[in-house]
Amino acid sequence: MNLNKAWGILKQQGFKETTKRNQILEIFSKDERYLTARDILDVMQKDYPSMSYDTVYRNLATFVSLDILEATELSGEKHFRMHCESDHHHHHFICMDCGKIKEIPLCPMDLLGAALPAYEIDNHKFEIYGKCPECK
């Protein structure tokens, strides 16, 4: 997702543009990896030494609730990345060392759906974790 689209969503929901929110979104727009709130705070505290973890985390939670960011849990901690703008359904491989993402164009629900014929599936998430070729 690009910054203009993210700000369009935020403004439509009544959020004001601030330099801190803008910097958080810029960090994500320049990095395709999943990042933690601590990663963001480490960058932000250079410009805003008194910025708190809670402030960063609240903004990240807001961005997730508005589908600007995606969230996943890796090693017991929430990680975030800019929401995909792909026009097709897909899933991700996530490198546990460097955090790089590789799109997986297949969906296991194509196979699993047949095993659940009487069930209504509202949503799903499928991620594969490991090491990318550069990290192994």
Side-chain angles (χ1 to χ4, degrees), residues 12-30:
Q12 183 179 19
Q13 296 298 316
F15 290 91
K16 293 182 179 179
E17 187 169 346
T18 66
T19 56
K20 291 177 185 176
R21 284 186 185 132
N22 199 51
Q23 187 172 356
I24 291 170
L25 290 173
E26 283 181 359
I27 292 167
F28 282 105
S29 72
K30 294 175 182 172

Side-chain angles (χ1 to χ4, degrees), residues 92-111:
H92 296 124
F93 171 89
I94 303 167
C95 180
M96 295 299 289
D97 282 355
C98 69
K100 287 182 184 171
I101 309 298
K102 169 115 174 92
E103 183 178 306
I104 303 169
L106 307 171
C107 181
M109 289 308 296
D110 295 339
L111 300 171

Side-chain angles (χ1 to χ4, degrees), residues 30-47:
K30 294 175 182 172
D31 201 326
E32 293 187 15
R33 299 174 300 139
Y34 276 95
L35 303 170
T36 66
R38 175 63 53 195
D39 294 332
I40 301 302
L41 183 61
D42 289 346
V43 173
M44 298 289 293
Q45 282 186 328
K46 293 173 187 164
D47 294 324

Side-chain angles (χ1 to χ4, degrees), residues 53-115:
Y53 180 87
D54 288 343
T55 298
V56 170
Y57 200 87
R58 265 193 316 275
N59 278 285
L60 297 179
T62 297
F63 298 158
V64 169
S65 72
L66 297 173
D67 286 331
I68 294 169
L69 295 182
E70 298 175 6
T72 193
E73 191 166 316
L74 302 170
S75 304
E77 184 176 12
K78 275 208 175 191
H79 287 64
F80 307 87
R81 75 183 290 264
M82 197 64 92
H83 199 282
C84 291
E85 284 202 289
S86 179
D87 60 352
H88 63 279
H89 182 74
H90 66 277
H91 298 282
H92 296 124
F93 171 89
I94 303 167
C95 180
M96 295 299 289
D97 282 355
C98 69
K100 287 182 184 171
I101 309 298
K102 169 115 174 92
E103 183 178 306
I104 303 169
L106 307 171
C107 181
M109 289 308 296
D110 295 339
L111 300 171
L112 297 173

